[in-house]
Amino acid sequence: MYTDRFGTLVQKLRLLPSVGSKSAQRMALHLLMRQRTGALELAQALQEAIEHIHECSICHSLTEHEICDICQDTERDDGLLCVVESPADVFAIEQSGSFKGKYHVLHGHLSPLDGIGPEEVGIPYLVQRLSQGQIREVILATNATVEGQATAHYLVESCKHLPIKITRIAQGVPQGGELEYVDSHTLHQALTHRLPLNQSS
Amino acid sequence: MYTDRFGTLVQKLRLLPSVGSKSAQRMALHLLMRQRTGALELAQALQEAIEHIHECSICHSLTEHEICDICQDTERDDGLLCVVESPADVFAIEQSGSFKGKYHVLHGHLSPLDGIGPEEVGIPYLVQRLSQGQIREVILATNATVEGQATAHYLVESCKHLPIKITRIAQGVPQGGELEYVDSHTLHQALTHRLPLNQSS
């Protein structure tokens, strides 16, 4: 029913995350019927991205150069290192504009059942980076999921021989969060780590 | 924050239907981190599809040849023509395996407010095809939306001078549909066009 090349296109579009066969067919038809020039531009953008974008040799985020812009930035604090699970987290934190140190991107999180241990996640390389003595505080900003928490816990164990302050990003009620819809674990964290608002508290 | 080529890739991925900036970023990262070979294969599939897939010169569905497989199929009934809004509808009907005639694909539906009239939808070409005398019945299978209904109505008016039987696909309760969740317009249609189940009814 499909032509060969249409079938191939649908199959390759399914490589995209969260794209099933129906969505892939819809995308293929949309490109062929309404975005033929755009489809060629997308093809070229894909080729150029794969050819030129790779991991930064220092922080493992994505860059088009040997070392990424953030690692090269001399105005950022070299003593403060934020550890995240993926380049997407670097983008998210940068968008918040609230961090002016450097980053270290792990390859995801520990997941022993999937055979993903400290080596696969790149923890030995991180510990080696921390051992060089330039960093005074490491902020663990892995996700607040079970795996992210386990990874943060493992990192604390791995770094406890180093003279470095280790912190974890705060957990609590998100901005705009209505208490009645916040899960009980989050509420527990928010109450346990409540902050003083006046002198005498 | 993004590298140039990463930004371009995200922007081009947004050309896909239902893909916003967050999804596009996620797709770009997924391809760069986990599907580098797949990304190149997708790029090639896009280029090949755009280069080789175009409209069938008879039915306006998509094909890699001058005339599509369905139009070329001599075992299908040339006297029965099913009119749909897009090639996706041809796929859907073919998947149902319940039609053995030929197709005619319009360019969407009438939408006067968007400047899409009979010419843009390709109705004159359809009327010309029907005037050649080979077709004895035309099945209007435009969508059961307001626009699809309006397009079907316009087609009936455009074809009434021709000695051709015009039918519309049935509307009613879908297979597996529970009555309490079916909208009232559909229920109205289902009751109005109820079918006799025994001789005396």
Side-chain angles (χ1 to χ4, degrees), chain B residues 149 168-173 185-196:
Chain B
Q149 298 283 33
R168 179 91 173 102
I169 49 166
Q171 275 188 270
V173 180
H185 180 77
T186 300
L187 274 181
H188 177 77
Q189 294 278 341
L191 286 165
T192 308
H193 302 290
R194 63 193 182 278
L195 300 173

Side-chain angles (χ1 to χ4, degrees), chain A residues 127-158:
Chain A
V127 174
Q128 180 198 325
R129 192 176 170 192
L130 293 173
S131 308
Q132 286 162 7
Q134 201 174 23
I135 292 150
R136 65 176 189 286
E137 178 179 345
V138 54
I139 302 174
L140 302 180
T142 52
N143 289 330
T145 56
V146 173
E147 296 88 352
Q149 298 283 32
T151 307
H153 185 76
Y154 187 91
L155 283 169
V156 173
E157 291 299 310
S158 307

Side-chain angles (χ1 to χ4, degrees), chain A residues 1 3-6 12 15 18 26 29-30 36 38 41 43 48 50 52-53 62 64 88 91 94, chain B residues 1 3-6 12 15 18 25-26 29-30 36 41 43 48 50 52-53 62 64 88 91 94:
Chain A
M1 179 187 63
T3 68
D4 293 346
R5 288 186 177 92
F6 188 83
K12 295 303 171 194
L15 296 175
S18 314
R26 217 171 115 243
L29 284 170
H30 179 81
R36 296 181 79 91
E41 289 167 1
E48 294 218 347
I50 296 298
H52 293 97
I53 302 176
L62 294 173
E64 293 185 24
F91 294 154
E94 284 299 290
Chain B
M1 181 189 63
T3 68
D4 292 347
R5 289 188 176 91
F6 188 83
K12 295 305 172 193
L15 296 175
S18 314
Q25 181 187 302
R26 217 172 115 243
L29 284 171
H30 179 82
R36 296 181 79 91
E41 290 167 1
E48 294 219 346
I50 296 298
H52 293 98
I53 302 176
L62 294 173
E64 293 184 25
F91 295 152
E94 285 298 290

Side-chain angles (χ1 to χ4, degrees), chain B residues 142-154 168 171 185 189:
Chain B
T142 53
N143 289 330
T145 56
V146 172
E147 297 88 352
Q149 298 283 33
T151 306
H153 185 76
Y154 187 90
R168 179 91 173 102
Q171 275 188 270
H185 180 77
Q189 294 278 341

Side-chain angles (χ1 to χ4, degrees), chain A residues 1-6 8-9 12-13 15-19 22 25-27 29-33 35-36 38-55 62-64 86-88 90-92 94-95 107, chain B residues 1-6 8-9 12-13 15-19 22 25-27 29-33 35-36 38-55 62-64 86-88 90-92 94-95 107:
Chain A
M1 179 187 63
Y2 284 166
T3 68
D4 293 346
R5 288 186 177 92
F6 188 83
T8 306
L9 177 57
K12 295 303 171 194
L13 282 166
L15 296 175
L16 297 170
S18 314
V19 173
K22 270 278 173 190
Q25 180 187 303
R26 217 171 115 243
M27 286 173 171
L29 284 170
H30 179 81
L31 292 173
L32 284 164
M33 307 287 286
Q35 286 282 6
R36 296 181 79 91
L40 293 176
E41 289 167 1
L42 172 56
Q44 202 189 339
L46 281 164
Q47 280 165 337
E48 294 218 347
I50 296 298
E51 191 178 339
H52 293 97
I53 302 176
H54 48 80
E55 284 188 3
L62 294 173
T63 177
E64 293 185 24
S86 93
V90 175
F91 294 154
E94 284 299 290
Q95 264 163 356
H107 286 125
Chain B
M1 181 189 63
Y2 284 165
T3 68
D4 292 347
R5 289 188 176 91
F6 188 83
T8 306
L9 176 56
K12 295 305 172 193
L13 282 167
L15 296 175
L16 296 170
S18 314
V19 174
K22 271 276 173 191
Q25 181 187 302
R26 217 172 115 243
M27 287 173 170
L29 284 171
H30 179 82
L31 292 173
L32 284 165
M33 307 286 286
Q35 286 282 5
R36 296 181 79 91
L40 293 176
E41 290 167 1
L42 172 57
Q44 202 189 340
L46 281 164
Q47 281 165 336
E48 294 219 346
I50 296 298
E51 191 178 337
H52 293 98
I53 302 176
H54 47 79
E55 284 187 3
L62 294 173
T63 178
E64 293 184 25
S86 92
V90 175
F91 295 152
E94 285 298 290
Q95 264 162 356
H107 286 126

